[in-house]
Amino acid sequence: MAHPAHLKPFELALPGPLRDRLVDAVLTGRKVATAGLLAEYEAEGAGPPEAGERAALVDSGGCAVAVVEVTEVRVLPLGDVDLRHAVDEGEGYRSVAEWRAAHERFWRGDLGFAVNDSSQVVTERLRVVEVLDPVAAAVAGELALHDPAVRGSRADAERLFDPEFTEVGQSGRRWTRDEMLADMPEMAVSDPEGPRIEAYGMKGVLLGPGLVHVTYETGIDGRRARRSSLWRRLPESPLWRLYYHQGTPVPDGLR
């Protein structure tokens, strides 16, 4: 899907794994802010965007995955960027220093710009207007819930769960949304030093307007499970949220 002809592309970072992670963070509602150097715009012969502008968020393949709207634009010295902005970039920054170190590595190393406290930065706040690829949005949400940083943050996790979420776990236990949000940070796979969730064969199917079915298999410390999720988009929101999930253990030796 090429980006809509009437909208300019909204590109985060450079094509590759970093861009794809940032796009996923936007699609799942975790990333609501971004920043760039004013010098980047000047080098391209363009000015910063204006509040109210809409653009096509593109992935590393140049395909449009969502329409986003810029809701706020500020031009300020790098030294004045605050913690609220750093956190709202949705990349797990816990301080302005962490945010700045990561951005300076990108601006210096990947783009070749020298920066200091007085370098002018363009900060933007944005919102998703429309998701153009529902399956991609559902898969991005499913993978986000495998990330210990997301699982350990109630604010990040609750954006991904539908108000009527239910899960039937491998043990047969039934979880409500509130129970899952309360218990998830304490699970072993939510610990950054704990076991990782390895996902295999993930695929999604659009069942109808506002409903995507995602299936895949996981391995956690050698234990396999087959998983099925339903992601739902409510009419009043452009974001996709997990409505139902079930995990079924796979006995040893079963293919």
Side-chain angles (χ1 to χ4, degrees):
M1 179 189 302
H3 61 77
H6 65 290
L7 294 176
K8 66 181 181 181
F10 193 93
E11 299 171 313
L12 295 168
L14 299 175
L18 176 58
R19 173 177 290 180
D20 291 335
R21 288 198 303 272
L22 298 180
V23 167
D24 287 351
V26 172
L27 292 177
T28 55
R30 292 178 290 130
K31 185 174 181 64
V32 294
T34 190
L37 293 174
L38 180 61
E40 294 180 63
Y41 292 95
E42 294 172 341
E44 296 173 357
E50 296 181 358
E53 283 189 16
R54 292 187 175 184
L57 178 67
V58 297
D59 61 16
S60 289
C63 295
V65 294
V67 176
V68 296
E69 179 180 277
V70 177
T71 60
E72 177 185 285
V73 179
R74 295 189 300 162
V75 180
L76 69 165
L78 176 58
D80 289 350
V81 174
D82 57 21
L83 180 60
R84 180 198 178 201
H85 178 86
V87 171
D88 286 348
E89 286 211 4
E91 299 174 56
Y93 301 123
R94 294 167 295 179
S95 68
V96 175
E98 283 187 3
W99 174 89
R100 179 162 172 171
H103 283 67
E104 286 197 18
R105 283 195 299 271
F106 176 72
W107 289 329
R108 294 176 188 273
D110 292 284
L111 301 185
F113 288 101
V115 295
N116 54 45
D117 277 353
S118 62
S119 298
Q120 294 295 292
V121 174
V122 180
T123 65
E124 303 173 46
R125 298 190 68 80
L126 55 116
R127 71 181 185 94
V128 176
V129 176
E130 178 185 0
V131 174
L132 302 177
D133 188 340
V135 171
V139 168
E142 195 77 29
L143 292 173
L145 285 171
H146 295 177
D147 184 346
V150 174
R151 298 176 66 88
S153 166
R154 185 182 179 99
D156 285 341
E158 66 184 0
R159 296 189 187 101
L160 296 170
F161 288 110
D162 186 272
E164 298 178 353
F165 168 79
T166 301
E167 175 171 337
V168 177
Q170 296 183 62
S171 66
R173 175 180 172 178
R174 181 181 181 274
W175 303 77
T176 65
R177 181 180 190 272
D178 288 343
E179 289 170 339
M180 181 58 71
L181 287 171
D183 292 353
M184 191 165 62
E186 305 305 319
M187 296 178 181
V189 291
S190 301
D191 183 346
E193 304 300 323
R196 299 276 67 80
I197 302 174
E198 302 290 342
Y200 309 95
M202 187 175 291
K203 60 183 179 180
V205 177
L206 182 65
L207 299 180
L211 192 65
V212 171
H213 184 210
V214 176
T215 57
Y216 59 105
E217 185 172 310
T218 58
I220 304 173
D221 268 352
R223 302 187 307 275
R224 294 168 56 208
R226 294 192 174 125
R227 300 185 178 274
S228 177
S229 295
L230 289 174
W231 286 78
R232 180 168 77 163
R233 182 182 64 79
L234 297 174
E236 63 270 20
S237 172
L239 299 179
W240 289 79
R241 294 184 170 91
L242 183 57
Y243 175 72
Y244 178 81
H245 180 78
Q246 183 165 346
T248 303
V250 180
D252 291 341
L254 184 67
R255 298 187 64 184

